[in-house]
Amino acid sequence: RLNIAERKKVERANEALIEDLNAFAHTVAHDLKNPLARVIGFVDLLSDDRVELSEEDVETGFQAIIRGAYKMNDIIDELLLFAKIRSVDIEVNSLNMDSIVGEAIERLNDSIQSQQAEVILPTSWPAVFGYASWVEEIWVNYLSNGLKYGGQPPRLELGADIQEDNMVRFWINDNGPGLSPKDLDRLFTKFSRLEQHSDIEGSGLGLSIVQRIVTKLGGEVGIESKLGQGSTFSFTLPQAR
């Protein structure tokens, strides 16, 4: 038999599981629906013999289908990662942050180039403990966020500060319009989207993934922002001595 403390622990675990299941259902229903609808729409259009399309229209349709397929694949990858973080056991190691950030930038290189974004890096990084592939996901999410919501063109500056509690605070500052107090309260919660940017697509999982990763690695996430002054997103990891 379980005692009261153990029973409450099981109940909390079940509540967390139900919350995640509801979150997954929400994502599948809302975020897969839009790209899937576009793919179906263009497939129907391209296969309709009654509609005469120019070569340019056909090419536009195929490109839209390809983008939609990649978008759905990205959402599924995010869902799998989000589900994996809580249950998997990982071994932390001293990280080569320069290499990790470089990999994250390389993954986003097409967006960086197309938006003519400026990415400013420090000359060196403090040594920390973590799990390399997960920390790369943190940077990919933060950089993607800066590219979406930053200025025109985006200017993203990355850096790190050693804190007195033997933690290192990593941060990324953008030149975007900044966030209102209401938007700040909604960040790092599942599936939240900023009302002022409702036209920008996203799975709503990005910052939730960041928070879950950072918490699993023993750190904390943070955000500082003022309207008209850009935003600074941060996370902490244990310092490696």
Side-chain angles (χ1 to χ4, degrees), residues 83-141:
K84 178 181 179 182
I85 294 167
R86 172 169 292 183
S87 59
V88 71
D89 292 324
I90 50 98
E91 181 177 348
V92 298
N93 298 288
S94 180
L95 301 180
N96 181 345
M97 193 59 74
D98 187 61
S99 174
I100 291 171
V101 173
E103 289 292 333
I105 291 174
E106 180 62 28
R107 286 170 60 181
L108 298 170
N109 187 59
D110 288 346
S111 294
I112 292 172
Q113 295 295 328
S114 65
Q115 296 185 57
Q116 297 181 324
E118 180 183 9
V119 180
I120 303 170
L121 303 175
T123 55
S124 63
W125 296 96
V128 292
F129 288 116
Y131 189 63
S133 62
W134 285 5
V135 175
E136 182 179 320
E137 291 300 325
I138 296 173
W139 283 117
V140 167
N141 273 291

Side-chain angles (χ1 to χ4, degrees), residues 8-234:
K8 287 185 177 296
K9 183 177 180 180
V10 171
E11 290 174 354
R12 287 195 296 269
N14 288 336
E15 289 173 358
L17 179 59
I18 292 172
E19 180 185 357
D20 281 353
L21 290 173
N22 288 335
F24 283 7
H26 181 106
T27 294
V28 171
H30 289 79
D31 297 302
L32 289 178
K33 184 176 181 179
N34 288 337
L36 180 60
R38 281 198 297 272
V39 168
I40 293 173
F42 277 108
V43 168
D44 287 343
L45 183 64
L46 293 173
S47 60
D48 192 341
D49 294 334
R50 296 168 299 176
V51 179
E52 293 186 7
L53 298 173
S54 66
E55 291 186 9
E56 183 178 352
D57 290 335
V58 172
E59 178 63 22
T60 298
F62 279 128
Q63 290 301 320
I65 292 170
I66 292 171
R67 287 196 301 271
Y70 275 115
K71 180 62 180 177
M72 288 185 283
N73 186 70
D74 289 343
I75 293 172
I76 291 170
D77 285 344
E78 286 186 334
L79 285 168
L80 292 173
L81 176 60
F82 188 73
K84 178 181 179 182
I85 294 167
R86 172 169 292 183
S87 59
V88 71
D89 292 324
I90 50 98
E91 181 177 348
V92 298
N93 298 288
S94 180
L95 301 180
N96 181 345
M97 193 59 74
D98 187 61
S99 174
I100 291 171
V101 173
E103 289 292 333
I105 291 174
E106 180 62 28
R107 286 170 60 181
L108 298 170
N109 187 59
D110 288 346
S111 294
I112 292 172
Q113 295 295 328
S114 65
Q115 296 185 57
Q116 297 181 324
E118 180 183 9
V119 180
I120 303 170
L121 303 175
T123 55
S124 63
W125 296 96
V128 292
F129 288 116
Y131 189 63
S133 62
W134 285 5
V135 175
E136 182 179 320
E137 291 300 325
I138 296 173
W139 283 117
V140 167
N141 273 291
Y142 274 174
L143 285 163
S144 297
N145 195 69
L147 290 170
K148 289 177 182 177
Y149 304 122
Q152 300 295 328
R155 182 182 184 276
L156 309 177
E157 182 177 3
L158 285 62
D161 305 307
I162 299 176
Q163 301 185 148
E164 294 182 355
D165 57 357
N166 294 324
M167 301 290 285
V168 176
R169 175 179 175 267
F170 296 93
W171 49 267
I172 174 170
N173 176 262
D174 66 50
N175 61 335
L179 302 172
S180 68
K182 181 180 179 181
D183 283 334
L184 288 174
D185 289 340
R186 296 177 57 201
L187 290 176
F188 296 107
T189 59
K190 295 185 187 72
F191 315 109
S192 63
R193 286 186 180 81
L194 305 183
E195 293 177 358
Q196 67 200 67
H197 296 292
S198 58
D199 58 317
I200 299 178
E201 288 188 5
S203 70
L205 268 172
L207 294 182
S208 300
I209 290 174
V210 167
Q211 185 173 50
R212 179 164 287 190
I213 289 174
V214 173
T215 300
K216 184 89 171 184
L217 296 177
E220 296 180 347
V221 296
I223 169 66
E224 300 172 9
S225 183
K226 290 183 179 180
L227 286 175
Q229 298 182 27
S231 303
T232 300
F233 287 82
S234 64

